[in-house]
Structure formats: C-alpha cells, structure tokens
C-alpha cells in the first residue's frame, strides 16, 4: 500500500494529540460490593479475551466518581504490574463498560483519522512491543512493572492509516472467528 511508515514514541503521539495513556482507579474496599460499574482487575485480562467471571462492582452512587477511569470502545488494555505484565486486550462494543484497576493501563486513540485503535491492539501483540516490554518490565528488582513513564518511551512504527485499518480488520476478523468458536 502507498504511504510512508512513521516511527514515533508514544510521547510524540501524545504530544501530537493522537494518543492518550491512562491508568486505573485505586478502589477502596468500601467502594466495592454494589451493583454499579464493574471493577476490572488485571487477573480478568487474558491475551485472548476479558473474563468477567467473579468481577466486583462499585456501589451505584459512585458511577460519576469513577467515570474518568471507565473503558471506552477501541481502548487497548495492558496489564502493568506483576507476573501478568504485558497481557493485552481490546474493548469492543460487545463488552460492558468497566473501570480500570491500578494494574491496568489503557491506550486510547484521540484522533481515529490518524491512529487506528485496532492497530494499537495488534501492535501490542507484535515483536516490536514485546521486545521493548521485556527490557522495560525487568528494569526493577521488584516484580515486573511497566510504568506510565516507560509506556511514554515506547517506540512504534506506524504504517499509513489505510494500512493500520486493514491490519486491524484482518486480525479482528480472525479474533471474531476464534471468539465465535470459543
């Protein structure tokens, strides 16, 4: 396909208004146990899907308080702490809304006319990201960790938007087929 590949750091994409990186909400025990928004923990995120079995819920009256940490369609989700660091998933219109826990980050496209959210999701499973992640998550002598600062340093090779969309469409169709068979 025609067009130029572009290399950028996540920080450059943020500065250009194309990307937003978010972290999760630090819930207090007394905020959970209700019937309000779902509180999604890292343990519910697998590389193939999000498992909503046994999720906790906020009390309904806290919905406005946690709204800024809620999922949005086309968010790429990444686990950032512990042995699960680097698992990724993607928010589709088939998922209920949920609040990210502190062990999760989200990558959100701010301009879908220049950066495809689905492409970010599949990039997060590719060698360019995995190689960077392996060095970053081992940079502490504690448990594996991918900080927001580290995420801003990530380098991504971006094809033109049409190619980003084509990649997301092809791989998304494969994921849909896998999900259907599950």
């Amino acid at each position: 396909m025609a067009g130029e590949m572009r290399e950028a750091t996540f920080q450059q994409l943020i500065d250009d208004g194309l990307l937003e990186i978010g972290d999760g909400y630090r819930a207090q025990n007394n905020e959970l146990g209700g019937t309000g928004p779902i509180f999604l923990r890292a343990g519910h995120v697998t590389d193939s899907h999000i498992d909503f079995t046994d999720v906790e819920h906020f009390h309904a009256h806290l919905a406005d308080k946690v709204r800024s940490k809620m999922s949005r369609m086309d968010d790429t989700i990444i686990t950032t702490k512990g042995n699960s660091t680097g698992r990724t998933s993607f928010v589709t219109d088939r998922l209920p809304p949920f609040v990210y826990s502190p062990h999760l980050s989200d990558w959100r496209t701010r301009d879908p006319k220049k950066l495809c959210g689905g492409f970010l999701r599949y990039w997060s499973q590719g060698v360019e990201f995995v190689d960077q992640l392996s060095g970053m998550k081992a940079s502490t002598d504690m448990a594996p960790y991918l900080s927001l600062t580290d995420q801003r340093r990530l380098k991504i090779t971006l094809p033109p938007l049409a190619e980003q969309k084509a990649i997301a469409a092809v791989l998304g169709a494969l994921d849909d087929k896998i999900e259907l068979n599950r």
Side-chain angles (χ1 to χ4, degrees), residues 34 39 53 63 71 74 91 118 153 168 171 173:
F39 185 54
T53 306
S71 63
D74 290 340
V91 179
R153 291 189 355 242
L171 295 176

Side-chain angles (χ1 to χ4, degrees), residues 128-170:
E128 189 174 49
F129 171 68
V130 171
D131 285 350
Q132 292 177 77
L133 174 67
S134 65
M136 289 178 176
K137 73 180 186 180
S139 65
T140 175
D141 36 339
M142 305 292 280
Y145 178 58
L146 182 63
S147 70
L148 290 174
T149 299
D150 287 340
Q151 291 175 60
R152 288 182 185 97
R153 291 189 355 242
L154 288 169
K155 294 177 184 169
I156 184 171
T157 303
L158 290 170
L161 183 64
E163 289 182 41
Q164 292 177 39
K165 288 180 176 181
I167 290 166
V170 168

Side-chain angles (χ1 to χ4, degrees), residues 87-104:
R87 283 195 309 230
T88 63
S89 197
F90 190 66
V91 179
T92 67
D93 60 357
R94 294 183 300 267
L95 297 178
F98 53 84
V99 177
Y100 297 108
S101 77
H103 291 198
L104 297 172

Side-chain angles (χ1 to χ4, degrees), residues 52-72:
F52 288 98
T53 306
D54 298 326
V55 293
E56 294 180 88
H57 291 257
F58 285 91
H59 294 289
H61 72 275
L62 296 172
D64 285 340
K65 181 178 180 181
V66 299
R67 190 168 319 283
S68 68
K69 302 293 183 171
M70 295 279 294
S71 63
R72 290 190 201 155

Side-chain angles (χ1 to χ4, degrees), residues 115-128:
L115 180 63
C116 175
F119 176 79
L120 278 178
R121 192 279 190 260
Y122 294 109
W123 177 84
S124 73
Q125 294 178 330
V127 68
E128 189 174 49

